[in-house]
Amino acid sequence: MRFALTLLAVYAVFFLISSFFDADAPETISYTQFTTQVNAGNVKEVYATGYSVEGVLKQPATDPDDNRAYTKFVTEIPVFASDEQLYQSLVGKGVQIVAESPTQGRGLFWNLVLSLLPVLLLVGLWVWIMRRGASLMGGGGLAGLGKSKAAKPVEAGKVRVNFDDVAGIDEVEAELVEIVDYLKDPAKYRRLGAKLPKGILLAGPPGTGKTLLARAVAGEANVPFFSASASEFIEMIVGVGASRVRDLFEEARKVAPSIIFIDEIDAIGRARGGASGIGGHDEREQTLNQILTEMDGFSGAEGVIVIGATNRPEVLDPALLRPGRFDRTVVVSPPDAKGRAEILKVHTRGVPLDADVSLEQLAKTSPGMTGADLANLVNEAALLAAKRGKEKVSMADFADALEKLQLGAARSIVMPEEERRRTAYHEAGHALLGMLQPGADPVRKISIIPRGRALGVTLSTPDTDRYNYDYDYLRGRIIGALGGMAAEEVVYGVITTGSESDLEQVTMIARGMVGRWGMSEKIGPLTILPSEGQPQAAPATLAAVDDEVRRIVDECYEQAVRLLKENRERLDAIVEALLEHETLDEEAAYAAAGLPRKTE
Ligand code: ADP
Ligand code: ZN
């Protein structure tokens, strides 16, 4: 679209310029009119080519044919008019006869330029787009004209990262040690005829350190690191992506041993025929084919290793995963508590910490956070400490930074007292039910400070990282999520719109239990509601699934209401504490409820 608009603009400019020059174009006049002007002595100079005569008048005259005033003219001399006679009368009237066209003031050069202008502009535009596309990859130059500039490696010795910078994912590191050894001394492997993988796929959620790992492999082996993002290739014009891939591999081969890192490889490596990603279909296919061709072309002895990264390994084209291509997949998972503590250690290396800071404690309260999240947490805490004018970062800074990251930044609006109280009941309902459910995640924080769209928040996170959930746990989660709405009903007897996202969560869990995780006896262990795509079942079965979902949620809601009624004093106590303090941490929350903090 932008391209089309630019094209239009180019043409508009061209027409403007040429019509500007055209205003000065000579008038075509009759031979009679011409001789009249000659005889009147009004012709200054003429220039003749064959039977065509161009000239300039001394004074403007009006063409009787169309009443237009002119000073420059062209005319045709009839064959029967005598040259000799014309020549004589021209000389007699003192008309200058010149050797260069007097009407074509802009001259041959400018005529040429003008006629070529649109073409030149278009070519310029094209080159500009190419350069832009190419520079995305860190290169530059006239890509697509066949002479694109080299992809730039990260120089050895510059911005080096090594395994010391990667923490908490030791098993993944171990899988890559062999690659590092190979890159350090490919000859050793070559002599023994050992074949190493040409391509390694790092699969894992965003922020788990895939890019960091690839860089660290290059850093450990001290080899050049070429990096590109697959989406960059397909944003280019058709044909450029493939040629960039060719260049990338060529450059990497020149300085081998080396590493090529291709991020977001699913953007081009998506199974054909699936939902298309960004960019044209053809471009993706061409780029993918080029990568496959390059990898097939390796003998394996060059010492170029391609590392691909994706967070959606399941959508990849199987062609990418065949032997000789990305035939080794290394799964990179979010770190566990111990891993998180180690990652925090790495990122606090340059940060002055107060004596009260316990990274282990922080790691425990941040389940689910990735390496990138933790790096961000450290930075936020340091920013806070700086803002507070402190010399060192304390545990309180970390706690506040964690709260901001987990709950969202506080919004400063003044809530009417009535609204505050209702919000307090809503959150206290969530929290109390979470505290009462055996096996539920401990309540970490309750707050009635508005953040984002939410008026309040209750945060519960597990002590240890959970990978599997059982029926009772999920039921407990539903009861806890319904706690806000149930409390409003118990206390006020009405239901507000404030429970929308709670209900979304409830629905998601209940549907998962029935249609995905085989937790309903009536439906049985069938995948009826796959995590992606359409439900797969007969209408009668779907209706039965709905009934089961409804039954589970109804039972949970009844239990939520009953529990809150039975524990009304605890509910009220939490509300009073919340109204006073606005935010309760774990200890304060359990204390207000008069309940012991569960230990599993
Ligand atoms: P991905 O490529 O998986 O999306 P990145 O490698 O870009 O993730 O990680 C982003 C940042 O998060 C890294 O630059 C690093 O600061 C931090 N990080 C992620 N994982 C780790 C880890 N295991 N150890 C240390 N830092 C990490
Ligand atoms: Zn709620």
Side-chain angles (χ1 to χ4, degrees), residues 165-169 204-213 261 263 309 332 335 342-343 346-347 370-373 375:
D165 300 301
V166 188
I169 39 178
T208 44
K210 299 181 294 295
T211 312
L212 187 69
L213 264 172
F261 177 68
D263 205 357
V332 188
E342 280 164 27
I343 293 174
V346 167
H347 286 280
T370 63
D373 295 332

Side-chain angles (χ1 to χ4, degrees), residues 16 44 64 73 95 131 143 158 164 174 195 212 220 237 251 287 310 406 427 449 461 467-468 472 491 565 569:
L16 266 174
K44 194 168 143 219
F73 62 86
V95 176
R131 288 181 77 116
K158 210 169 95 189
D164 289 344
K195 281 214 167 51
L212 187 69
E220 286 285 326
I237 308 178
E251 291 304 316
T287 308
T310 179
Q406 285 178 331
E427 297 309 326
I449 299 173
T461 53
Y467 300 102
N468 251 314
D472 286 334
V491 177
K565 281 185 177 156
E569 330 76 66

Side-chain angles (χ1 to χ4, degrees), residues 421-433 443 445-449 454-459 480 483-485 487-488 498 502 571 574-575 578:
R421 182 167 283 271
R422 182 191 289 276
T423 305
Y425 268 108
H426 181 104
E427 297 309 326
H430 283 308
L432 182 56
L433 290 178
V443 173
K445 204 154 259 178
I446 323 173
S447 165
I448 52 166
I449 299 173
L455 295 179
V457 203
T458 299
L459 179 72
M485 186 170 159
E488 292 189 48
D502 293 339
L571 186 67
I574 299 175
V575 166
L578 263 179

Side-chain angles (χ1 to χ4, degrees), residues 537-555:
T541 318
L542 286 179
V545 168
D546 274 349
D547 286 347
E548 278 293 276
V549 169
R550 194 172 299 274
R551 178 185 62 79
I552 291 178
V553 174
D554 283 349
E555 283 177 14

